[in-house]
């Protein structure tokens, strides 16, 4: 078992370098301490990087367009991990 934060950190570089010059994007990460099996960690690397790039390329407008629409210039992509038990506890409260 390894913390998923290692996966989150490995997806940070490719996602931020592919954003181009017209977007301002912040990548927020929560639950980095959540542990996951090493084989699952390895299998999730490429798909997660692809999802982050797609979110950046197709889901967040350029800073100028965001500003014109009354949104903050900086878009946010949030990654969050938790175990099923953590989710259950959170939903009960």
């Amino acid at each position: 078992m390894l913390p998923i934060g290692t996966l989150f950190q490995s997806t940070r570089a490719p996602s931020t370098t592919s954003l181009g010059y017209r977007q301002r994007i912040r990548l927020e990460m929560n639950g980095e301490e959540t542990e996951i099996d090493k084989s699952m960690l390895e299998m999730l690397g490429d798909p997660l990087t692809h999802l982050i790039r797609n979110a950046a390329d197709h889901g967040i407008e350029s800073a100028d367009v965001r500003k014109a629409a009354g949104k903050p210039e900086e878009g946010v992509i949030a990654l969050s991990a938790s175990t099923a038990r953590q989710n259950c506890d959170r939903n009960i409260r």
Side-chain angles (χ1 to χ4, degrees):
M1 299 292 275
L2 295 171
I4 200 164
T6 57
L7 175 61
F8 284 1
Q9 290 301 324
S10 69
T11 60
R12 178 179 214 109
S15 65
T16 54
T17 56
S18 70
L19 302 180
Y21 62 90
R22 63 189 205 352
Q23 296 165 303
R24 291 182 48 202
I25 298 174
R26 182 175 72 244
L27 187 60
E28 290 182 353
M29 297 177 280
N30 296 302
E32 297 99 330
E33 70 284 348
T34 303
E35 291 188 339
I36 187 171
D37 184 79
K38 183 181 177 184
S39 62
M40 289 297 295
L41 202 65
E42 292 169 354
M43 290 188 329
L44 290 172
D46 289 340
L48 185 59
T49 299
H50 181 75
L51 288 169
I52 293 170
R53 284 183 178 164
N54 277 350
D57 292 341
H58 304 293
I60 298 181
E61 309 93 330
S62 68
D64 293 340
V65 171
R66 292 181 60 81
K67 187 175 181 178
K71 298 178 183 179
E73 290 184 30
E74 181 180 64
V76 177
I77 297 174
L79 296 176
S80 180
S82 64
T83 63
R85 177 77 178 146
Q86 287 172 330
N87 283 334
C88 292
D89 290 344
R90 192 173 319 143
N91 292 331
I92 290 173
R93 294 182 190 158

